[in-house]
Amino acid sequence: IVLRSIRYGEADRILDLYTRDAGLISAIAKGIRRTRSRFGARLEPLSCVDFVAYHGRTLDTVTQAETLRSFHGVREDLARFEAAAGMVGSVRALSGGDEADRRVFNLLYNALDTLEGCDSGFESIEAALGLKLSVLAGYAPQLDTCLNCETDLDEAEKPLHFAPEHGGVLCAGCRSQTGDAFPLAPGTLESVRTLIETPVRDAPRQAGPRENVLRVVRSHVLAHAPGNTLIGRGLAGARRPA
């Protein structure tokens, strides 16, 4: 799946791709921006492609590509596109290195498929993917007990606060233990729990206070990928809808 496409030189593009068998890789597609390029539109961001590349000293070079699924409907709708950008940012943040994980590939593919096929709830799909990637990467947020006093959060003093750097929730009494925590709107904790437990394809279209849920997910992903500032900007070089 093409995650990002960046102009390079006069006619080339450098691509970030998440592959089923090799994980996250970068490759160059030479001459792709020329009118008569043999690639045409087959390497657009978000497309699922079958490609051939040979190893170079610094970058692999794509020599053949065939589109398996374009996800055209996601690229051409601004709201869907923005959710997809968030999903791509999460994949790039949490799936670095060259270790392949087919679960990550399948998650992203299913999320894009769901995004293209639904009419609302795009934020819930983005949030669900970010949470599930966090779990796969070993950064599952603590959502059952307070990080500090271990009180059951269903019975803890409200309002609850989410502490991204510490990976979980604090009760009102422990809020002063960290400076990066922010308050959770009513219903946020329940929505986050549901999104973790529910398959991406079945992510509820109305996941409680959507902005607060997204803030939880994005801040959590960013906190556990400290060298990455690409959350929400993972589709650089993509053609946005007019």
Side-chain angles (χ1 to χ4, degrees):
I1 297 174
V2 182
L3 302 184
R4 188 170 67 152
S5 175
I6 304 173
R7 290 186 178 188
Y8 183 77
E10 294 184 359
D12 306 336
R13 282 189 178 275
I14 294 177
L15 309 171
D16 286 346
L17 308 102
Y18 195 88
T19 68
R20 187 180 61 183
D21 299 315
L24 185 64
I25 68 169
S26 293
I28 188 169
K30 294 185 176 180
I32 191 173
R33 289 160 47 206
R34 294 194 179 101
T35 304
R36 297 185 179 181
S37 169
R38 66 185 183 279
F39 296 117
R42 284 172 284 180
L43 289 167
E44 287 286 321
L46 301 180
S47 297
C48 180
V49 300
D50 189 12
F51 72 97
V52 176
Y54 69 82
H55 290 293
R57 284 182 296 178
T58 55
L59 285 172
D60 295 346
T61 299
V62 178
T63 57
Q64 300 177 41
E66 176 185 354
T67 302
L68 302 179
R69 179 80 180 271
S70 70
F71 293 112
H72 180 270
V74 176
R75 287 200 305 276
E76 295 304 311
D77 180 87
L78 182 58
R80 288 186 175 91
F81 186 93
E82 289 178 342
M87 296 192 302
V88 165
S90 293
V91 170
R92 296 185 67 227
L94 294 174
S95 302
D98 57 1
E99 295 184 4
D101 190 334
R102 292 195 177 192
R103 296 172 299 175
V104 173
F105 181 91
N106 291 337
L107 266 176
L108 180 58
Y109 184 93
N110 288 335
L112 289 171
D113 181 58
T114 305
L115 196 60
E116 187 170 53
C118 67
D119 296 322
S120 63
F122 309 139
E123 301 95 338
S124 297
I125 298 168
E126 177 191 341
L129 178 117
L131 288 166
K132 293 178 188 303
L133 286 175
S134 297
V135 172
L136 290 179
Y139 300 118
Q142 183 172 319
L143 304 173
D144 296 324
T145 59
C146 173
L147 288 168
N148 186 54
C149 66
E150 299 186 352
T151 299
D152 187 315
L153 292 174
D154 292 326
E155 302 174 358
E157 182 183 354
K158 306 298 189 294
L160 301 176
H161 287 70
F162 188 76
E165 295 292 337
H166 299 277
V169 181
L170 294 165
C171 67
C174 297
R175 160 68 180 86
S176 60
Q177 298 299 317
T178 178
D180 70 329
F182 57 86
L184 297 182
T188 300
L189 179 60
E190 294 76 7
S191 295
V192 172
R193 288 170 173 170
T194 298
L195 290 173
I196 285 183
E197 297 168 357
T198 305
V200 168
R201 290 186 180 277
D202 300 323
R205 298 296 176 259
Q206 299 298 327
R210 290 175 294 181
E211 291 186 3
N212 206 223
V213 171
L214 266 183
R215 185 182 181 189
V216 168
V217 176
R218 288 174 174 174
S219 64
H220 181 72
V221 171
L222 188 59
H224 296 286
N228 194 301
T229 58
L230 297 168
I231 306 305
R233 295 190 288 124
L235 288 170
R239 180 168 55 90
R240 283 187 173 274

